[in-house]
């Protein structure tokens, strides 16, 4: 009977766990570095925001504290107070942004749903690429396109609105022959913010859990019913976020508005008449190069108002998203 040869035991010591940890490193140093970089980036954002606010308040302080300040608007011989100068611009800024959102959000959500749930894969990929390309076009090109090509084609539409819906203050005539009115600005801004809202909403819709969609379809829901029950509730916060991104661009847009909208200083709701409205950004761009110290301070005060409006809008959007998330978690 033969026995298997015995192998001598290895004399090489096995590495202990402490030696393995020391060889690989515990990762604590990397964690500290990453934590410090992340904290520094967050503090830099807060510091930049505080610096912008401090600069605006400092430069606008002379106009805010001078009760006798009188400002002359471009194209007018009259002088007005700071409140009378700033108020119509705030009104025009909010009106243009509201009308642009009213046009762009439903269209953007519809395009995003078509790309994510209706279009064939090749068509969806092509449309997604075109949407991303539209978002990269500079605003000055939108202004050129709107001023040269779009305005003449909108005039018949404006005439029809004035003739048949003129009893509504929004569409009351007479219609401007140039087409450089608030309605044109709203349409151009809607085209500008449409790709931003569409791109974000599309990505949110694509993240809808497949099990939710399949469960709705298994219960006999049509595709639209599945979208209404599963996709839209899941993407509601994403739609709000996308809309706020578009609203931020609409509120602060300058060049496209300057190239289309004339100078105005009224609180008028008549968006088909010329010379009625202006926006904060466009007014600053038009008046700042030729302004003296007092007028520059007043213009910066209007910029401070735009800064506050943007902050309030974003804070409201965050509150809406947080409330909906809390409500969804409670359910």
């Amino acid at each position: 009977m033969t026995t298997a040869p015995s192998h001598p035991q290895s004399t090489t010591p096995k590495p202990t766990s402490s030696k393995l940890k020391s060889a690989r490193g515990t990762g604590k140093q990397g964690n500290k570095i990453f934590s410090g970089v992340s904290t520094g980036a967050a503090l830099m954002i807060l510091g930049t925001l505080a610096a912008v606010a401090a600069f605006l308040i400092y430069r606008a302080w002379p106009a805010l504290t001078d009760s006798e300040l009188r400002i002359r608007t471009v194209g007018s011989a009259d002088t007005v107070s700071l409140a009378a100068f700033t108020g119509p611009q705030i009104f025009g800024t909010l009106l243009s942004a509201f009308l642009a959102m009213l046009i762009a959000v439903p269209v953007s959500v519809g395009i995003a749903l078509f790309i994510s749930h209706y279009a064939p894969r090749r068509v969806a990929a092509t449309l997604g690429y075109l949407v991303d390309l539209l978002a990269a076009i500079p605003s000055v090109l939108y202004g050129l396109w709107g001023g040269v090509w779009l305005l003449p084609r909108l005039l018949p539409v404006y005439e029809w609105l004035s003739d048949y819906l003129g009893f509504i203050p929004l569409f009351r005539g007479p219609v401007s022959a140039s087409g450089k009115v608030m309605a044109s600005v709203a349409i151009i801004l809607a085209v500008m913010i449409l790709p931003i809202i569409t791109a974000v909403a599309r990505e949110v819709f694509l993240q809808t859990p497949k099990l939710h969609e399949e469960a709705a379809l298994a219960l006999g829901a049509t595709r639209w019913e599945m979208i209404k029950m599963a996709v839209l509730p899941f993407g509601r916060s994403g739609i709000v976020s996308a809309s706020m991104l578009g609203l931020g661009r609409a509120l602060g847009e300058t060049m496209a508005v300057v190239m289309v909208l004339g100078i105005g200083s009224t609180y008028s709701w008549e968006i088909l008449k010329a010379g009625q409205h202006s926006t904060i950004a466009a007014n600053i761009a038009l008046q700042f190069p030729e302004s003296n110290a007092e007028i520059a301070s007043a213009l910066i005060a209007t910029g401070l108002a735009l800064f506050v409006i943007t902050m309030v809008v974003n804070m409201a959007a965050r509150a809406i998203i947080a409330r909906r998330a809390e409500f969804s978690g409670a359910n």
Side-chain angles (χ1 to χ4, degrees):
M1 183 176 178
T2 59
T3 59
S6 60
H7 297 283
Q9 294 183 353
S10 175
T11 58
T12 304
K14 294 182 179 180
T16 62
S17 59
S18 60
K19 290 183 178 180
L20 287 175
K21 288 182 179 179
S22 61
R24 293 181 307 195
T26 60
K28 292 182 178 180
Q29 191 67 25
N31 289 337
K32 291 181 179 180
I33 294 174
F34 182 77
S35 176
V37 171
S38 302
T39 304
L43 292 176
M44 183 178 67
I45 294 175
L46 294 176
T48 303
L49 189 64
V52 171
F55 166 78
L56 291 174
I57 294 173
Y58 174 74
R59 293 296 303 271
W61 191 253
L64 295 175
T65 56
D66 188 357
S67 59
E68 298 180 357
L69 177 66
R70 307 293 293 179
I71 307 165
R72 178 174 295 173
T73 307
V74 171
S76 174
D78 300 329
T79 59
V80 296
S81 64
L82 179 63
F85 176 75
T86 307
Q89 297 176 40
I90 295 175
F91 175 82
T93 301
L94 295 177
L95 179 62
S96 63
F98 172 77
L99 293 175
M101 295 291 291
L102 197 64
I103 299 170
V105 172
V107 177
S108 300
V109 172
I111 295 174
L113 286 174
F114 177 77
I115 294 175
S116 60
H117 287 83
Y118 284 94
R121 182 166 299 181
R122 289 187 177 180
V123 177
T126 303
L127 287 177
Y129 172 76
L130 292 177
V131 168
D132 295 337
L133 186 62
L134 283 174
I137 295 178
S139 60
V140 66
L141 297 184
Y142 281 109
L144 285 172
W145 166 76
V148 175
W149 185 86
L150 184 63
L151 294 190
R153 289 160 176 80
L154 288 176
L155 288 177
V157 179
Y158 295 161
E159 293 287 351
W160 185 91
L161 290 173
S162 178
D163 292 339
Y164 293 96
L165 299 176
F167 59 91
I168 302 175
L170 209 63
F171 305 123
R172 187 175 299 159
V175 177
S176 170
S178 65
K180 294 184 176 182
V181 293
M182 178 59 73
S184 301
V185 171
I187 293 173
I188 294 174
L189 288 178
V191 174
M192 291 179 62
I193 65 178
L194 187 143
I196 300 174
I197 302 175
T198 301
V200 177
R202 176 195 65 199
E203 296 302 321
V204 173
F205 293 155
L206 289 173
Q207 299 303 317
T208 305
K210 294 298 180 183
L211 289 177
H212 294 183
E213 298 180 1
E214 294 171 356
L217 294 173
L219 292 174
T222 63
R223 182 175 296 185
W224 165 242
E225 290 172 339
M226 178 271 293
I227 290 173
K228 187 169 61 174
M229 291 187 297
V231 178
L232 291 179
F234 177 82
R236 188 177 291 114
S237 61
I239 295 173
V240 174
S241 301
S243 301
M244 291 306 104
L245 286 175
L247 180 58
R249 183 171 186 183
L251 287 171
E253 179 54 40
T254 304
M255 286 308 302
V257 180
V258 168
M259 299 174 70
V260 175
L261 191 64
I263 296 294
S265 57
T266 68
Y267 292 94
S268 173
W269 290 94
E270 299 166 348
I271 62 174
L272 301 182
K273 292 183 179 180
Q276 300 292 309
H277 307 95
S278 182
T279 65
I280 293 176
N283 192 66
I284 292 175
L286 288 172
Q287 297 204 53
F288 199 84
E290 300 178 0
S291 61
N292 55 28
E294 291 184 347
I295 306 303
S297 179
L299 292 173
I300 294 174
T302 62
L304 178 62
L306 181 60
F307 179 83
V308 173
I309 292 171
T310 306
M311 290 288 294
V312 170
V313 167
N314 282 277
M315 290 172 64
R318 295 292 300 176
I320 293 172
I321 294 173
R323 184 174 181 180
R324 291 195 176 276
E326 183 181 352
F327 177 78
S328 301
N331 290 340

